[in-house]
Amino acid sequence: MPTSPSHPSRRGLLALVACATLALAACSGAPSSSDPGPAENVSQADVDKAMSTPTTLTFWTWVPDIEQEVALFERKYPAIDVDVVNVGQGADAYTKLRTALKAGKGAPDLAQIEYQYIPTFSITDSLVDLRPHGAEANKSKFLDWTWSQVTGPGGEILAYPQDTGPMGMLYRADLFEQYGIDVPKTWDEFAAAARKLHAANPDVYLTNMAANEAAGWHGLMWQAGSEAYSVEGTTVGLSVNDTASKKVADYWGGLAAEGVVSTDPDFTDTWYQGFNSGKYATWLTAAWGPAFLGGSAKSTAGKWRAAPLPQWDAAKPASGNWGGSTTAVIKGTSNAIAAAEFAEFLNTDPESTKMFNTKQNFFPATTALIGDPAFTGAKSDFFGGQAVNQVFADISGTVDLGWQWPPFLDQSVQDWTETAGKALADKGDVAAATDQWQSRLTSYAKDQGFTVTAR
């Protein structure tokens, strides 16, 4: 998701992966351990020539008003015109891109791609390795964990990070005070608070764990240290039912079965009403959540505060990520140099990166902005004058670098929704349902021609 606050969770739930209807062997150029490495570096002379040659780049994106950032680039490089095309988001955007790639025509020079979908397109060799274009020199400009998200198994740099969604907890300070709830530092404290609050008022839940929200669930798996996925060429490691995953499933399945947390589908009318009516005392969400909530629950302004997620081990603070996207250069472009320069500028230029935060409310991926006192010190009236950016900047430093995504995320999301998600909604055995998730996903991967290992 760049995680546009307009609709952060609906992207990609139903789209098919590029290899879904093909044997994996038919997918060209899948990365492998025998990758010969990056091509020869592009010379400065080649860059100068490309950037002074009249060129039109086509950029597929869903980011609202991104033309403002694009204009900065066009002013610096007047020979380059960037044609911004909003192709929708999620399933719509990815289906259009896959269709164009399969047809061998109509694909853009660049595309907005969420972190979790990088493997889906890299497995089909659809993304330009940016190492020959000097991308490695920009590594220190980005948070370590975001750079790991755009780095392929062979060291390929497959995109530039644009925004992020480190996960924290937004909570109603007034409800906490009213019911004598302390801000929970651990998941044990959170569970105790959930029971206390719901016993005091059956109409109020400490939180809602949406049974349709695989993205947020993955973020909690990430925080817990799950090693659900790994990719090495056409070998995929799958362990969506590993110890950490089952710990998350047991925890939330137990609270749902007790009836002390709700499991309402999110991003629905009922869910929005729940925030405005005080039904939910917290929201376990990402760094884009404060801006989203400020627009969706205006009647509760001033009542909210932000804090880190409760921890499994308070001595080892950790978080996961939910959301964020990248800019990738698409294989087949005849303008690779100009496209790579645009992707770099868009996501490293100080004015451009700041604009993403101030205009689109994106949470930054760059170390410069996330460490800028003007950014971290900004006070939010909606959050009672709290410096919410500082809270999430600190959280971002605790996101683990090791998390990987599978090359068939859509299938994993569907299988989660129909197994663990369903069990959560039905107040059933969610941990046992992760075994079903594992079995279904393993069968799917093998059917697509992948070699599957259990991590």
Side-chain angles (χ1 to χ4, degrees):
M1 328 173 190
T3 320
S4 170
S6 63
H7 219 326
S9 68
R10 300 280 64 86
R11 299 192 184 120
L13 294 186
L14 300 175
L16 298 175
V17 297
C19 295
T21 59
L22 301 171
L24 186 67
C27 294
S28 63
S32 70
S33 57
S34 60
D35 188 335
E40 184 177 345
N41 288 342
V42 174
S43 70
Q44 186 59 49
D46 288 337
V47 172
D48 293 342
K49 179 180 179 181
M51 302 313 288
S52 60
T53 300
T55 303
T56 298
L57 297 175
T58 301
F59 177 34
W60 286 7
T61 178
W62 55 76
V63 177
D65 300 320
I66 199 172
E67 290 84 357
Q68 298 173 90
E69 288 88 345
V70 169
L72 299 175
F73 173 80
E74 292 177 330
R75 281 201 293 271
K76 183 174 181 179
Y77 299 104
I80 312 297
D81 178 64
V82 181
D83 182 16
V84 176
V85 181
N86 189 327
V87 291
Q89 56 190 31
D92 289 342
Y94 295 136
T95 298
K96 289 173 184 175
L97 181 55
R98 291 172 183 131
T99 300
L101 288 167
K102 183 178 178 181
K105 60 180 180 179
D109 297 287
L110 305 103
Q112 194 97 22
I113 298 178
E114 296 160 284
Y115 294 109
Q116 63 267 34
Y117 283 96
I118 293 291
T120 297
F121 289 98
S122 65
I123 196 71
T124 55
D125 197 29
S126 300
L127 307 180
V128 171
D129 182 0
L130 298 173
R131 286 178 294 178
H133 300 275
E136 289 176 298
N138 290 299
K139 179 178 180 180
S140 64
K141 297 178 182 178
F142 295 92
L143 299 169
D144 287 346
W145 68 265
T146 65
W147 198 253
S148 70
Q149 289 285 295
V150 299
T151 302
E156 311 91 340
I157 308 303
L158 300 168
Y160 278 104
Q162 185 166 108
D163 63 304
T164 65
M167 290 185 69
M169 179 178 70
L170 307 182
Y171 67 95
R172 284 280 297 269
D174 59 326
L175 294 179
F176 274 38
E177 180 178 2
Q178 179 180 348
Y179 294 104
I181 303 295
D182 294 326
V183 178
K185 302 293 195 299
T186 67
W187 287 116
D188 284 344
E189 291 176 358
F190 188 92
R195 297 179 182 110
K196 177 181 179 180
L197 177 59
H198 197 60
N201 186 342
D203 294 326
V204 180
Y205 297 88
L206 186 59
T207 203
N208 179 70
M209 181 51 57
N212 66 326
E213 189 52 80
W217 188 272
H218 273 101
L220 294 174
M221 289 170 59
W222 189 336
Q223 185 215 18
S226 173
E227 296 182 338
Y229 311 110
S230 67
V231 183
E232 184 65 36
T234 57
T235 297
V236 178
L238 293 177
S239 293
V240 296
N241 61 342
D242 65 5
T243 300
S245 178
K246 285 200 169 184
K247 177 169 65 174
V248 172
D250 270 328
Y251 181 85
W252 290 106
L255 292 180
E258 287 182 49
V260 296
V261 300
S262 57
T263 58
D264 302 334
D266 61 4
F267 303 98
T268 62
D269 289 342
T270 298
W271 182 78
Y272 288 119
Q273 291 166 9
F275 282 118
N276 283 283
S277 67
K279 179 180 179 180
Y280 314 129
T282 74
W283 184 22
L284 307 177
T285 187
W288 44 261
F292 182 89
L293 197 61
S296 302
K298 293 180 180 179
S299 64
T300 62
K303 299 177 180 179
W304 291 89
R305 304 292 183 274
L309 286 177
Q311 298 295 308
W312 294 106
D313 183 349
K316 299 177 182 178
S319 186
N321 183 72
W322 173 7
S325 66
T326 73
T327 308
V329 178
I330 304 302
K331 275 278 185 78
T333 175
S334 58
N335 305 302
I337 295 176
E341 291 294 312
F342 171 66
E344 177 181 349
F345 177 94
L346 189 66
N347 299 298
T348 62
D349 177 76
E351 189 175 354
S352 179
T353 56
K354 184 175 182 180
M355 194 177 288
F356 278 123
N357 174 251
T358 57
K359 300 296 184 182
Q360 283 93 7
N361 292 313
F362 285 177
F363 200 78
T366 61
T367 54
L369 188 52
I370 210 166
D372 182 352
F375 167 71
T376 56
K379 303 257 192 320
S380 168
D381 291 339
F382 188 86
F383 284 83
Q386 185 182 18
V388 175
N389 288 342
Q390 183 66 67
V391 175
F392 281 97
D394 292 341
I395 291 170
S396 192
T398 69
V399 176
D400 180 66
L401 275 67
W403 179 268
Q404 297 183 55
W405 295 102
F408 36 74
L409 181 65
D410 294 308
Q411 187 64 40
S412 187
V413 167
Q414 178 179 322
D415 287 343
W416 177 87
T417 303
E418 295 174 358
T419 57
K422 185 177 186 302
L424 183 66
D426 293 344
K427 297 180 171 50
D429 189 337
V430 184
T434 65
D435 291 332
Q436 300 169 26
W437 182 18
Q438 172 75 10
S439 177
R440 287 175 54 155
L441 194 57
T442 298
S443 295
Y444 175 86
K446 289 180 177 178
D447 286 346
Q448 300 310 310
F450 289 95
T451 298
V452 179
T453 62
R455 300 185 72 185

